Amino acid sequence: MHENNYSFILPEGLIETIQSTLKENGKLSYTKRNKPTKDGINLLHKYLYIPHLLLQNKIFKSDSYEKTGVAINFTLIKNILSLSSEETKAIVDYYIEVGIIELVNSYIFLSLGSKENKCRTYRFTNEWNNVKVYNYQCPTDSTFIKRLIETDYSKKPISSKSPATKANDDIVDYQLKVFNESVGLHQSVYKYFTNKYSVSVDELMDGDIKVDINDYIFYSIIRKDFKITRPDGDSRIYSPLTSIKREHRKYITLNGKQLIGLDVVGCQMLLSSIAVENYFTNTYDGVELPDDMVYYRQLAEAGMLYEKLAEAEVKTSLLTKDRTAYKQRLYKGFFFSKNSKRLNKIQQAFKSLFPSVFDTIVNIKASNEYNSWAITLQKVESVLMLDLISKQLIDKGIQFLNLHDGLYFSTIEDLKVGEEILINCFKDNGGVNVRTKIEQYDEPFEFIEEGKDKNVIWFESMANVKLVNHYFKVADTYFNVKKLTRKEDSKGSKSKKLTKKEFLKLYEEKKAVEQEIENKEVKVVSMLEYNDMIFKSKYIYNQFRKIEELGFQLDPGKIDQYNIYDFNEEWEFHFGSEYNSAIINKHTRMSASYGGYRQYPIEEFVPDIISLIKEEQLLLQSIATK
């Protein structure tokens, strides 16, 4: 990081726009040599601070930026700018008036505390949302910039009235040290930047080039010009790694090696179990945990909470189709929604299964505001992952990067040490048993290819394929990678837009189905061989035994063969000749005579097969006589 400088991240063309407006309004004073005075420079920097704040959040906290915008707490901002409330509001109003930023929401809570923590959220207008950005090096003789350098606001609580605890600076300092000394990028990233922006590697590292906003995080790692923050002791750490898209993590290196990730399976549900039990124990000292609360923990440990809720809500098909969608349904419908006397379906299902857990979460929300539950979960995660696990790793001299409820290492040996610490920490301090998963990356493709659609590049990287065409069919589904849509191969089917995660998951599912069908062998057996076959359903076996018992043995020379198609328990059983045939499987009983199929209830199916066999025998005899 550039220690002696202070820089703003700014959209291209913004300074010129502000200077022109302030000059026209007589607010920007100039010397006789037509240079801005110190007071004028100070005012300019105060104006620049607001868009810099928005851009920092857009780049490093993109999810929250897109969902809610950037919260501007006027009480805090006016103190940073050393301006009155009216003067601070005038700057924000100016940006709205000239069409640079827009109001998204009025009054949301930033953290635990009183209603004085309410504020408004903003983001850039469409016109300014995707312009190139660059690092503006602020002159250090500006009194405002000197104050920013001396006072690190990023580590202070959001409000003086917020009860948020002081952050552990040792964790932040450690992560900053690792990023500066040991974190790098795959060579393909440097190639991408030098080709796209027509600069050398040296110019890239030392210069202040203007880059697309989506490239800025990698650019900040190249230049070692970034911030790592933990706003308070209850919050997460925010670093370049937390802002990089999942599909791009493969380009990050630690000590020259690709990252190896360690995640807790179903972490949020485990954290919710810990939070609920802690609240109950602190509220009802000495009282045993209710049975449903213990059951909730056991399901969280087994990773079966969503399944039980889906069964209770009769949403099993949704869970099977998209587990992530059902998880988001729980989060939006109960975890992170306001308390209400009228319960929606998922709340009803949750309360019916886990009444004590439901009441505890409702009580936590009611103790302050509805997002108290979200903050409680984050606090539990923060204590475990940062204050306990990260500290032990640092004490053992293990290099790692923190990513919320996950950890990243450079060697499998370091990961195994981290895994042991993590498992023990959750058990000893949270009372839960955890399951972990390891995430390893293949050697990445080129970071980007000239003229190629971004979605195609993303898909090829994640699916580990090279596409000939962006539109293709897998199993019974057509995929359009450029548009991220899918269309079923059926009459009247319409294209449906998917998220990247949904698109990749569906592709992998359909690819597995297609592979399974390709690998499936069709076995042909005679009636005599049939007796030795092991079938998935004893019921079906018994039906065909009845045929044999009645003396209607299928002659391999006439009605000759059985075809058994085994699709992983979704099997079908065919028999017949060119004249008649019958099909039976788990779901359907059908028989055909001279090409016309009819579906039968099970109780009529066996007699019908017997009748079909008789007809077949008579027909064959008639043909033989002729």
Side-chain angles (χ1 to χ4, degrees), residues 19 35 61 111 187 250 335 365 393 463 477 571 581:
Q19 282 180 322
K35 290 185 178 181
K61 299 180 184 178
S111 65
Q187 60 183 0
K250 65 174 69 177
F335 267 30
K365 291 182 186 180
L393 286 169
T477 302
W571 56 272
S581 63

Side-chain angles (χ1 to χ4, degrees), residues 520-542 544-545 548 561-567 571-574:
K520 199 59 59 182
E521 292 183 3
V522 177
K523 297 180 181 179
V524 181
V525 298
S526 68
M527 188 60 187
L528 298 175
E529 292 174 295
Y530 161 75
N531 293 319
D532 297 324
M533 295 293 295
I534 299 174
F535 291 95
K536 308 297 181 184
S537 170
K538 289 184 178 180
Y539 183 81
I540 301 299
Y541 174 84
N542 289 334
F544 281 90
R545 288 295 299 171
E548 291 181 298
Q561 294 174 328
Y562 287 82
N563 295 328
I564 302 166
Y565 300 81
D566 184 351
F567 297 109
W571 56 272
E572 291 185 347
F573 194 88
H574 298 239

Side-chain angles (χ1 to χ4, degrees), residues 172-437:
V172 175
D173 292 342
Y174 171 80
Q175 290 287 283
L176 187 60
K177 184 175 185 293
V178 173
F179 262 93
N180 276 319
E181 296 178 1
S182 305
V183 170
L185 297 171
H186 189 266
Q187 60 183 0
S188 62
V189 180
Y190 289 93
K191 183 180 177 181
Y192 162 72
F193 270 89
T194 54
N195 289 342
K196 181 174 181 178
Y197 297 106
S198 301
V199 294
S200 67
V201 174
D202 289 340
E203 289 173 324
L204 192 61
M205 297 181 72
D206 298 330
D208 288 315
I209 65 172
K210 296 176 176 66
V211 300
D212 290 338
I213 194 165
N214 292 331
D215 293 338
Y216 185 84
I217 297 173
F218 285 99
Y219 181 50
S220 71
I221 295 174
I222 290 171
R223 297 184 71 248
K224 301 294 182 184
D225 192 1
F226 44 74
K227 283 188 176 182
I228 295 177
T229 62
R230 188 182 182 190
D232 57 62
D234 299 336
S235 72
R236 294 169 159 178
I237 278 182
Y238 296 95
S239 72
L241 182 61
T242 61
S243 311
I244 288 173
K245 293 179 180 179
R246 186 183 189 90
E247 60 266 26
H248 284 158
R249 290 176 199 162
K250 65 174 69 177
Y251 300 103
I252 305 294
T253 62
L254 182 59
N255 293 317
K257 299 176 182 178
Q258 279 187 287
L259 299 178
I260 308 173
L262 177 68
D263 286 328
V264 176
V265 178
C267 190
Q268 288 302 308
M269 293 297 98
L270 290 167
L271 294 176
S272 70
S273 173
I274 295 170
V276 164
E277 290 188 12
N278 286 347
Y279 183 90
F280 186 89
T281 303
N282 293 333
T283 305
Y284 307 103
D285 188 26
V287 178
E288 283 190 15
L289 293 175
D291 290 342
D292 68 283
M293 202 170 282
V294 175
Y295 182 47
Y296 183 86
R297 185 211 312 147
Q298 292 170 343
L299 289 174
E301 291 175 335
M304 293 296 293
L305 265 172
Y306 299 127
E307 282 74 9
K308 289 298 178 184
L309 279 170
E311 287 175 14
E313 201 196 354
V314 198
K315 288 286 181 181
T316 317
S317 60
L318 173 61
L319 181 66
T320 304
K321 182 180 177 183
D322 192 340
R323 187 182 180 86
T324 301
Y326 190 81
K327 180 169 70 173
Q328 294 303 322
R329 178 182 172 84
L330 172 62
Y331 288 174
K332 186 177 180 179
F334 177 43
F335 267 30
F336 308 133
S337 64
K338 294 182 179 180
N339 286 341
S340 174
K341 292 181 180 179
R342 185 176 180 179
L343 304 184
N344 58 37
K345 289 182 179 179
I346 200 163
Q347 290 171 344
Q348 292 171 12
F350 197 104
K351 187 170 185 177
S352 68
L353 286 172
F354 315 111
S356 300
V357 178
F358 181 88
D359 291 342
T360 300
I361 294 173
V362 168
N363 289 338
I364 291 173
K365 291 182 186 180
S367 64
N368 193 277
E369 288 293 329
Y370 73 93
N371 66 341
S372 301
W373 175 237
I375 294 168
T376 300
L377 291 178
Q378 185 173 288
K379 184 174 182 178
V380 174
E381 176 196 285
S382 173
V383 169
L384 286 168
M385 298 302 301
L386 297 177
D387 299 333
L388 297 175
I389 296 169
S390 293
K391 186 177 184 304
Q392 289 187 48
L393 286 169
I394 293 171
D395 291 344
K396 285 184 176 290
I398 302 293
Q399 270 204 336
F400 69 97
L401 296 175
N402 178 279
L403 183 58
H404 304 329
D405 58 8
L407 299 166
Y408 284 83
F409 304 86
S410 61
T411 68
I412 199 70
E413 292 78 16
D414 285 351
L415 181 141
K416 289 298 181 183
V417 175
E419 185 178 38
E420 182 180 357
I421 290 173
L422 183 147
I423 290 171
N424 291 337
C425 216
F426 268 80
K427 182 63 176 176
D428 296 341
N429 299 279
V432 296
N433 299 302
V434 301
R435 295 170 297 127
T436 61
K437 65 178 179 180

Side-chain angles (χ1 to χ4, degrees), residues 121 272 452:
T121 63
S272 70
K452 206 171 222 185

Side-chain angles (χ1 to χ4, degrees), residues 18-109:
I18 296 173
Q19 282 180 322
S20 175
T21 304
L22 292 179
K23 190 175 182 179
E24 287 176 8
N25 295 340
K27 292 183 178 181
L28 192 61
S29 55
Y30 284 81
T31 64
K32 292 180 180 180
R33 295 182 179 181
N34 202 32
K35 290 185 178 181
T37 62
K38 286 187 176 182
D39 288 342
I41 291 173
N42 263 335
L43 181 62
L44 175 63
H45 289 158
K46 290 176 181 181
Y47 266 79
L48 295 178
Y49 185 80
I50 300 294
H52 163 67
L53 185 66
L54 264 63
L55 262 181
Q56 272 194 321
N57 279 267
K58 179 175 172 58
I59 293 168
F60 295 108
K61 299 180 184 178
S62 58
D63 286 346
S64 61
Y65 175 89
E66 297 299 335
K67 288 178 183 177
T68 62
V70 180
I72 294 182
N73 184 324
F74 279 87
T75 303
L76 177 61
I77 294 297
K78 76 173 187 178
N79 291 336
I80 294 174
L81 301 179
S82 295
L83 296 174
S84 67
S85 297
E86 291 75 17
E87 290 170 324
T88 303
K89 187 175 182 300
I91 293 177
V92 175
D93 289 345
Y94 158 76
Y95 281 118
I96 293 174
E97 184 181 337
V98 297
I100 295 175
I101 70 173
E102 61 187 2
L103 178 67
V104 180
N105 267 321
S106 292
Y107 301 111
I108 66 167
F109 277 84

